[in-house]
Amino acid sequence: MRDEEIVQSILKGNTERFSILIEQYQAKIYSTAYYYTQNQEDARDITQEVFIKAYNSLQGFKHGAAFSTWLYRIAVNRCIDWTRKKKCLTISSFINDEGDEINPLEQLQDNDGSPEDIFLRQALAKEVQEIVGSLPEIYSTVLILYYFEDISPQQIAEILNVPKKTVDTRLFRGKSLLKVKLDNVLYGGECYELQEV
Amino acid sequence: MSCKKYEDKLHSFAIGSLKEAERLELEMHLESCVSCKQEVYDIKRTADFIKANRTVPILPIEMKQNIMASIDLKRYKSADRKNRFELKNWGASMIAAGLIIFALNLSPYTNYYLAKESYLYNIGNEIGKKILLPINNLGQSANTVFGKIIELNGITMRMEESKKGGIQNEL
């Protein structure tokens, strides 16, 4: 059953079918929110808010448009709102319910290699993600959607409701800014060769 | 610096989302344009680097249950029932009305009955005329006769009075 058919079925009263859409898109929305917030708790909250809003707004979903684009639009708008309210530039320490500090890197998927390799890799990943998150919002948005979520420029344009040419321009400029910042972080500003760690 | 003509296609090309004709055209261009080729290489290298170094967060297991528990599952149920009920009624009524009108208009008996009806109406008219007119005439004739009788009566009374008056004078 296509997404649009599931939506129509939900609007006819089969509301339990919304769980199908959640299963299909929760991972992508969650990862997008995570790359924006750099924080799993906030990413979880944002993901839940996005799906609740999507459910309550289903009647506004236009038949003929792609459901994924519509859902991503809600997610990106919510993430942008979050970044405007609370920009996260550094790794924050996390306190659990018992009041103990926890290491967020332990919550991330990475089990290959020695503990040192894992730590270095995760530290670098965090650094890259933070650099992307620190860029101006118009660039970080397109970079996250293109490089982290593998979404095409055309679909990014539909999500953001801007011309495709605007997306391409932002990708160019965003990439240039990212390259400069990565240069500074990884190699102290000298020319660099991007290598796999 | 890439060519102006192709720079807005390079990211789509790198991710493989260009249409076939555009992809072939750009591939041919890349064979001879060093700057565009370098740009595509740069884009792919950045993408590979980020993919290799990004962290994939683990989705919380209870995410779906939490979302389903937060939404109102009855939200679209009553609205749909109400809409279905109204639509059904309106729909049925309109269809029934349409069928009746359709049937009446196309029924071979409709014109027959309409013709019959006007024929009967005409007959009624004729009969009416045939019966009522003579009665009318009769009534008028009767009126005339009565009038004459009354007139005659008046003349007779005057004659008798004048007769009485003459005999008294002779006496």
Side-chain angles (χ1 to χ4, degrees):
Chain A
M1 216 173 176
R2 293 185 307 123
D3 292 345
E4 294 70 30
E5 289 168 353
I6 296 173
V7 170
Q8 292 307 312
S9 177
I10 293 169
L11 291 173
K12 285 178 183 169
N14 300 312
T15 50
E16 307 76 22
R17 287 193 175 162
F18 190 67
S19 63
I20 302 173
L21 295 173
I22 296 173
E23 271 175 33
Q24 197 149 338
Y25 292 106
Q26 60 179 344
K28 289 182 185 177
I29 300 298
Y30 179 70
S31 63
T32 300
Y34 173 75
Y35 295 132
Y36 264 97
T37 61
Q38 304 296 308
N39 179 316
Q40 298 219 27
E41 298 289 319
D42 288 332
R44 187 195 61 199
D45 292 342
I46 287 175
T47 305
Q48 288 183 3
E49 285 172 28
V50 166
F51 278 102
I52 291 168
K53 182 165 183 181
Y55 177 79
N56 291 336
S57 312
L58 275 180
Q59 282 171 323
F61 170 64
K62 286 178 190 167
H63 196 59
F67 178 78
S68 59
T69 302
W70 182 76
L71 186 65
Y72 258 107
R73 187 175 298 147
I74 296 174
V76 168
N77 285 339
R78 183 64 193 90
C79 290
I80 289 173
D81 286 342
W82 185 91
T83 53
R84 284 174 187 171
K85 283 179 190 169
K86 192 165 103 178
K87 195 113 177 152
C88 178
L89 296 176
T90 55
I91 299 173
S92 311
S93 59
F94 292 88
I95 309 291
N96 62 13
D97 292 335
E98 283 76 43
D100 300 324
E101 195 171 307
I102 56 173
N103 184 355
L105 295 180
E106 288 173 3
Q107 308 296 316
L108 306 171
Q109 261 182 15
D110 196 338
N111 297 315
D112 298 331
S114 65
E116 292 80 15
D117 289 338
I118 294 170
F119 177 79
L120 281 172
R121 205 157 44 234
Q122 289 181 348
L124 181 59
K126 256 317 190 171
E127 198 69 54
V128 169
Q129 283 158 201
E130 282 184 3
I131 290 170
V132 171
S134 71
L135 295 174
E137 177 193 294
I138 53 170
Y139 300 125
S140 62
T141 296
V142 295
L143 289 175
I144 286 170
L145 293 176
Y146 183 82
Y147 288 107
F148 288 82
E149 295 294 323
D150 298 323
I151 297 176
S152 71
Q154 179 59 48
Q155 197 179 356
I156 294 173
E158 289 167 12
I159 291 168
L160 300 180
N161 203 26
V162 297
K164 184 181 167 294
K165 198 164 173 54
T166 304
V167 171
D168 287 304
T169 305
R170 290 179 186 177
L171 280 170
F172 267 114
R173 292 182 187 162
K175 185 172 68 66
S176 304
L177 288 172
L178 177 64
K179 198 169 172 181
V180 167
K181 290 204 170 191
L182 278 175
D183 273 350
N184 289 334
V185 167
L186 294 174
Y187 300 100
E190 295 172 8
C191 292
Y192 74 102
E193 289 288 325
L194 288 171
Q195 293 172 359
E196 284 191 23
V197 175
Chain B
M1 194 68 154
S2 54
C3 307
K4 281 281 178 192
K5 185 182 174 188
Y6 293 102
E7 66 180 8
D8 60 349
K9 292 186 170 58
L10 299 181
H11 280 92
S12 299
F13 176 81
I15 206 172
S17 66
L18 271 187
K19 290 176 190 169
E20 186 66 13
E22 286 180 311
R23 184 185 65 78
L24 289 169
E25 186 189 339
L26 187 47
E27 273 179 359
M28 279 181 60
H29 171 74
L30 290 176
E31 284 173 10
S32 54
C33 181
V34 175
S35 59
C36 284
K37 197 171 180 177
Q38 180 61 43
E39 190 62 45
V40 169
Y41 175 70
D42 213 22
I43 292 169
K44 286 185 175 178
R45 210 171 48 155
T46 306
D48 290 342
F49 177 77
I50 288 176
K51 272 193 185 61
N53 293 291
R54 73 181 169 189
T55 319
V56 181
I58 302 171
L59 182 73
I61 301 167
E62 71 281 4
M63 176 73 76
K64 189 176 84 170
Q65 284 101 303
N66 287 347
I67 295 168
M68 290 302 288
S70 304
I71 59 176
D72 177 14
L73 287 172
K74 293 178 190 169
R75 185 183 178 97
Y76 298 110
K77 286 192 191 289
S78 56
D80 175 66
R81 248 190 246 122
K82 186 183 169 193
N83 286 342
R84 242 193 296 165
F85 181 73
E86 284 179 358
L87 256 175
K88 208 172 163 185
N89 279 350
W90 274 109
S93 304
M94 298 301 282
I95 290 169
L99 282 173
I100 290 169
I101 292 168
F102 182 77
L104 283 175
N105 279 330
L106 292 188
S107 165
Y109 296 105
T110 305
N111 291 335
Y112 173 74
Y113 284 127
L114 284 174
K116 269 280 183 202
E117 195 187 320
S118 84
Y119 172 69
L120 288 171
Y121 179 77
N122 290 340
I123 285 185
N125 252 5
E126 291 300 314
I127 291 172
K129 282 180 193 166
K130 284 191 163 91
I131 293 173
L132 289 174
L133 205 55
I135 291 175
N136 237 16
N137 292 343
L138 210 62
Q140 281 177 356
S141 304
N143 272 346
T144 310
V145 166
F146 287 138
K148 293 277 186 220
I149 291 173
I150 290 167
E151 198 181 319
L152 215 62
N153 195 33
I155 294 172
T156 309
M157 279 176 70
R158 277 198 296 277
M159 279 176 68
E160 279 182 3
E161 277 174 9
S162 61
K163 229 188 198 176
K164 276 182 190 169
I167 291 172
Q168 277 179 356
N169 285 338
E170 281 184 6
L171 290 177

